Amino acid sequence: MTDAQRPHEQEAVLTAARRAREAAVDLATRSRAAKDAALNAMAAALEVDSALIMAANANDIDRARAMHTSEAIIDRLKLDDKRIGAMADGLRQVAGLVDPVGEVVRGYTLPNGLELRQVRVPFGVVGIIYEARPNVTADAAGLCVKSGNAVLLRGSSSARESNAAIVETLRRALSDTGLPPDAVQLVPGDGHEAVKHLMRARGLVDVLIPRGGASLIKSVVEESTVPVIETGVGNCHVYVDSSADLDQAIAILLNAKAQRPSVCNAAETFLVHQAVANEFVPKALTALKDAGVTVHGDERIRSYSKDVVRATDDDWDTEYLSLDIAAAVVDSLDDAVRHIRKHGSGHTDAILTRSQAAARRFVAAVDSASVVVNASTRFTDGGEFGFGAEIGISTQKLHARGPMGLPELTSTKYIVIGEGHVRP
Amino acid sequence: MTDAQRPHEQEAVLTAARRAREAAVDLATRSRAAKDAALNAMAAALEVDSALIMAANANDIDRARAMHTSEAIIDRLKLDDKRIGAMADGLRQVAGLVDPVGEVVRGYTLPNGLELRQVRVPFGVVGIIYEARPNVTADAAGLCVKSGNAVLLRGSSSARESNAAIVETLRRALSDTGLPPDAVQLVPGDGHEAVKHLMRARGLVDVLIPRGGASLIKSVVEESTVPVIETGVGNCHVYVDSSADLDQAIAILLNAKAQRPSVCNAAETFLVHQAVANEFVPKALTALKDAGVTVHGDERIRSYSKDVVRATDDDWDTEYLSLDIAAAVVDSLDDAVRHIRKHGSGHTDAILTRSQAAARRFVAAVDSASVVVNASTRFTDGGEFGFGAEIGISTQKLHARGPMGLPELTSTKYIVIGEGHVRP
């Protein structure tokens, strides 16, 4: 792209944002019934248009193959009838959830008789920046429409045609049910410049949610003047305390690491109290080896098996997202807490213990979005938490922390009702 | 300052932030009793040290006078026994408030038996950037300590010695009661560079709250990589509907504009429905004139009096903070809403009406932190809302909106308790 084209691209992004803003004003006061009807129509339209969407997807896949993209990524990109059906089912599920808009968060009558209520309202315009899987396009659109927000979607360029086809279908369904189609838009333009314009559209875009790898999230956080909710990077720990049930600990560790290693709530490090290391570590290493997991251990872990790779300083900070795990022996619960504070990403950390005192100490001292006692880290998930849906998992402390469902896609406002009240 | 000094200054800021972080870890698990004892000790220490603090303050005032600072600003800067007593009383009041830390925001048992709780936890380290009045130093420190946060305070350079004396006193009281004194620190260094380092200390500082004028807030929002909560700019509107009680409307308009014009919840514009303009505007203009208010009106307002100044385009967007008000006649409630959407700052906007339908429409359509019916805009305030204290008024939608009390100075975490649960 030449410099001469850039002002045009900026204008295109800002125009889309302004149209989203207009649509958001309309959407904000629509009833739950109107929004649910639109969501169900969006679901039906995806099924009706599935051949069109798959044709667009085939073009994306051809382009990816021509660029020698790995089969793993092509698998994430690929849409078939089953995956499109799952997208439609997801939208119907969101239609079944309670509408967060209008919920009274708190309310009371003040001593002077003023009635005060704090109620949930939509943000307005939400920007979602995401990678790879085109199903996020429909998921994010559904959650935003349900919560009364317009959404500006910026997917991966590798899924460009798939995303365009999905959005076209969703917009038609919105229009057919009388909702503003501009509530769901792709960010126009390609390349990083378009994202930059989105990130600088403060006042037009209320919040940006980047979903993807650490480098994507870091760049959004650094460059954006629009408020950002950070999501997803998970360097999760499992700490096996001196009083842990060791058989249970093996089962939990295996589940946390190997049940689905590519996701953010999978464990990336385990720490073992030295008092149980002799009994636990050999069993754990055997079980992990049988599950195909490579262990990157400190010297004390390595003393138990020659299969353990020597851990470097980097291992403690790495989100492997693969069948690898870092491991260390610690002298105390407090040492485990210190390790997690230093190296964790504030996503999910678990203690396995039979001691009430140890559990309480760990829960109080570990400052993560989700702190787990005697269960797998894999439970940190909007679906598992009973939220019905999830737009991402926040690893920051402002606004939302942990899995974000529909209420996390809203702000609030105060409504004050008087009878001629003035301040004395 | 030379360039050679800057790395040193950055290191000083980062060192302070790291010490705050350590203090925050300690403070996060302290009991309410320990924090309240510290707050009461901080109050007593301010009273004991009042002569020292006033001596430091006298130096600030001498410097301000030498720089020909206006008497209005010198008055805001000035401390006397009464004002120091008020600071101490403020701390005692905060000690009396409920501790937000540990509050269970929601909690239930999942179908698989996992127990899930979402509980309030401190942010960690809060940065406050503020102007002028040195009492903010004690107020902000008290609210942060109570909510379990360490605070980095960056006041106005004009109050440098006063702030240093207050912080020294507060730190001694923390230390005397066994809490970490580094929980309350001034940001070291002078000038804008120090603020810049604070704004880039992402990972060490959890949230920044700028309190002050529009330009301060804008620069923090643009430059900060630390998450920011915007506060305070208030271009508040009073809309007099066709069905308003006009005598009540005069009283509310006068209160909203003139009771204390220098604050963010004072009204800056009034809009009148054309159906009542003939009856309302002449009375309103007389009442405002008697209160010393200059009206900047559109042509329809100006047709009622030659005293009305012609409003320029800028007037609609101006936060006067003085005895000035913009005024326009509108053709409908929807025109009033459109005007407020276009020119408002999302702080506080009021409708005066006897119509239930008009009130409901205005409340739903006006997207501001506080929407008021038949009362003065001046009620948007943490104290008036019954929060017991206020760290500022958020005009953004992320995390907190409207007056922010103690709960708004916290994040949450999820605690998940299982009995060996693994994900199937």
Side-chain angles (χ1 to χ4, degrees), chain B residues 313-325:
Chain B
D313 283 351
D314 284 350
D315 279 294
W316 312 116
D317 298 311
T318 299
E319 187 186 21
Y320 297 112
L321 299 173
S322 61
L323 286 173
D324 292 85
I325 194 163

Side-chain angles (χ1 to χ4, degrees), chain A residues 110-139:
Chain A
L110 296 167
N112 58 10
L114 276 179
E115 287 171 30
L116 181 73
R117 273 176 296 153
Q118 184 184 19
V119 302
R120 287 201 185 281
V121 294
F123 275 128
V125 179
V126 176
I128 316 254
I129 304 173
Y130 54 105
E131 293 172 337
R133 287 177 298 158
N135 66 305
V136 174
T137 307
D139 291 355

Side-chain angles (χ1 to χ4, degrees), chain B residues 105-124:
Chain B
V105 177
R106 56 180 158 180
Y108 40 77
T109 301
L110 296 167
N112 60 10
L114 277 178
E115 286 171 31
L116 181 73
R117 272 175 296 153
Q118 183 184 20
V119 301
R120 286 202 186 281
V121 295
F123 276 128

Side-chain angles (χ1 to χ4, degrees), chain A residues 106, chain B residues 26-39 92-105 119-123 142-149 179 387-388 405-411:
Chain A
R106 55 181 160 180
Chain B
D26 181 352
L27 205 57
T29 56
R30 293 302 188 114
S31 68
R32 172 173 174 184
K35 293 184 287 188
D36 289 351
L39 288 165
R92 292 190 182 102
Q93 228 175 317
V94 171
L97 297 175
V98 171
D99 188 345
V101 176
E103 185 200 340
V104 178
V105 177
V119 301
R120 286 202 186 281
V121 295
F123 276 128
L143 289 167
C144 286
V145 167
K146 177 80 183 204
S147 53
N149 293 296
L179 291 198
F387 299 171
L406 288 170
E408 283 74 22
L409 282 173
T410 64
S411 182

